[in-house]
Amino acid sequence: MLTILLGILEEGLVYAIMALGVYITYKILDFPDLSVDGTFPLGAALTAAGIANGLPFVGKISPIAALFISFFVGALAGCCTGLIHVKLKVRDLLSGIIVMTALYSINLRIAGKANLPIFSQETIFANEFLEKQVPEALKPYTVALILLLIVAVCKVLLDLYLKTRSGYLLRAVGDNDVLVTSLAKDKGMVKIVGLAIANGFAALAGSVYCQQKGFFEISTGTGTIVIGLANVIIGTQLFKRFGFVKGTTAVIAGSILYKACVSLALNLGGQYRLGGYIVSIPITASDLKLITSILFLVILLASTDRRKKVKSHA
C-alpha cells in the first residue's frame, strides 16, 4: 500500500510541474497551447542525450544542469509558439499544433532514436552523493522528497513572478487585453513571455520525468496537455471556494488527486465475485491513455456550469 501511495505522490508531483505551466496558459492567458505535448518530451530528450552522450557544443551535462537547460530550451519553444501567433497572425490553437508537430522530429534528432535509456547514468534521484549522505531509513522516500523540493521551488518562484509588474500584466492580458494596450504595453509580447514560462515548466517536467524513469521515449508527450488540463481543472474546481488557497497550490493538489484517480481506475482490473456470478473487468496498464481521456471528459462535464439560461421575452 505504501508503495502505491508513494508512486501516486511521485507521479503527481512530476506532472504538477508541467501543470503549473498549463495553469499559466489555460487559466491566466486563456490560450489553448498544444505545444506542451512537444515541449514535455523535449526536456526528456535533452536530458537523456545530454547525460548519456552529450549535447552539441556543450558535451556531457550533469543531471542538475539538465534541469536548467531543459527549462531554457523549452522556453525558446514557447517563444516560437508565441511568435507564430503574435507576429504571423496564426490562430492560437494552430500555433501550438505547428510547434508540437515540429518538435516531434526535433526531439528525435536530439535523442538520436525513439528510445534512449540512462539507467546506468547518475541522475538527481540516484547518484554517489545521495548514496553516501541519505540514511538507509530515508532511501525509499528520497525520490518523493526531491520532487517535493523541486515542486516547492517552482511554485514559490511562479508565485513571486505573478506578483511582479510583468506578472500582473500577464493576468491582465487574459482578463482584459484592452487594458494592457491602454497602459501602452505590447500585449503580444506579454503573451510570448507567458508561453515561454509555461513551456519552460513543461520541459522541466520532462527532464525530471526522464531522470525519474531512467529513459527517454518519444511517445511520452502524447496526451500531456490532457493530463495538465485535468490537473488544473480538478485543483481549481475543488479549491475555488477556499480563497486562502492559491491557484498554484490547488494545481499541485489537483495533479496528485488526478494521478490517484488514474491509479484507482487501473487497479480495478481483474475478476470479482458478485453473488453467484464472476464479473471480469478487463483493464490493464495498456489502457492508461483511454482511462486518462475518459477521466478528463468526466472532469470537464462535472466542472461545466450546466444550468440552462432562461431567456426573457419582451
Side-chain angles (χ1 to χ4, degrees):
M1 185 62 180
L2 180 61
T3 304
I4 294 174
L5 291 176
L6 276 175
I8 291 171
L9 180 62
E10 290 168 6
E11 286 281 319
L13 288 173
V14 169
Y15 282 99
I17 302 170
M18 178 270 298
L20 289 173
V22 176
Y23 173 74
I24 295 174
T25 54
Y26 176 71
K27 292 296 290 185
I28 297 179
L29 283 179
D30 192 23
F31 190 105
D33 182 23
L34 294 184
S35 56
V36 169
D37 273 22
T39 48
F40 184 85
L42 172 64
L46 286 165
T47 300
I51 292 177
N53 305 319
L55 297 173
F57 311 111
V58 178
K60 283 200 171 187
I61 58 176
S62 69
I64 294 177
L67 300 178
F68 291 97
I69 292 172
S70 296
F71 183 92
F72 177 73
V73 178
L76 287 179
C79 287
C80 292
T81 303
L83 289 169
I84 292 171
H85 171 62
V86 174
K87 301 300 182 182
L88 302 182
K89 309 299 181 184
V90 177
R91 293 187 63 178
D92 46 15
L93 187 65
L94 293 176
S95 302
I97 292 173
I98 290 169
V99 173
M100 175 189 69
T101 306
L103 283 175
Y104 185 91
S105 296
I106 293 172
N107 293 338
L108 282 174
R109 285 276 187 176
I110 292 171
K113 50 186 176 179
N115 190 303
L116 179 60
I118 54 171
F119 296 113
S120 60
Q121 307 291 331
E122 286 196 345
T123 67
I124 57 173
F125 303 108
N127 53 64
E128 189 177 347
F129 175 79
L130 292 177
E131 285 291 328
K132 292 180 178 179
Q133 301 298 325
V134 176
E136 197 67 32
L138 284 179
K139 284 186 178 179
Y141 312 102
T142 302
V143 174
L145 291 172
I146 293 172
L147 286 171
L148 275 171
L149 177 62
I150 295 172
V151 171
V153 170
C154 291
K155 173 195 153 36
V156 170
L157 290 176
L158 181 56
D159 285 338
L160 290 174
Y161 169 73
L162 291 175
K163 290 180 180 179
T164 64
R165 181 181 179 84
S166 177
Y168 283 121
L169 285 173
L170 195 67
R171 292 179 183 274
V173 165
D175 293 332
N176 186 359
D177 55 3
V178 177
L179 174 63
V180 177
T181 305
S182 67
L183 293 172
K185 299 294 181 181
D186 184 356
K187 64 181 181 181
M189 186 56 64
V190 175
K191 282 186 179 181
I192 292 171
V193 170
L195 287 166
I197 296 172
N199 283 279
F201 276 123
L204 174 61
S207 176
V208 173
Y209 180 88
C210 174
Q211 296 192 51
Q212 182 203 14
K213 297 298 183 183
F215 64 89
F216 158 76
E217 168 61 46
I218 189 63
S219 64
T220 52
T222 305
T224 302
I225 186 63
V226 172
I227 297 172
L229 287 173
N231 297 345
V232 172
I233 293 170
I234 289 177
T236 53
Q237 287 296 318
L238 281 179
F239 295 98
K240 65 180 180 181
R241 295 183 181 179
F242 302 95
F244 61 90
V245 178
K246 291 184 178 181
T248 50
T249 305
V251 166
I252 294 168
S255 179
I256 296 171
L257 287 172
Y258 180 72
K259 279 300 171 184
C261 291
V262 173
S263 178
L264 177 63
L266 286 174
N267 286 318
L268 286 176
Q271 291 186 341
Y272 301 90
R273 182 178 293 277
L274 295 176
Y277 300 95
I278 295 178
V279 179
S280 178
I281 303 178
I283 296 178
T284 64
S286 61
D287 300 318
L288 177 61
K289 296 298 182 183
L290 176 62
I291 292 171
T292 299
S293 300
I294 293 173
L295 279 175
F296 182 51
L297 177 60
V298 171
I299 292 162
L300 277 178
L301 293 175
S303 63
T304 303
D305 187 1
R306 304 182 67 79
R307 291 175 298 176
K308 294 181 179 179
K309 295 181 180 180
V310 180
K311 293 182 180 181
S312 59
H313 300 279

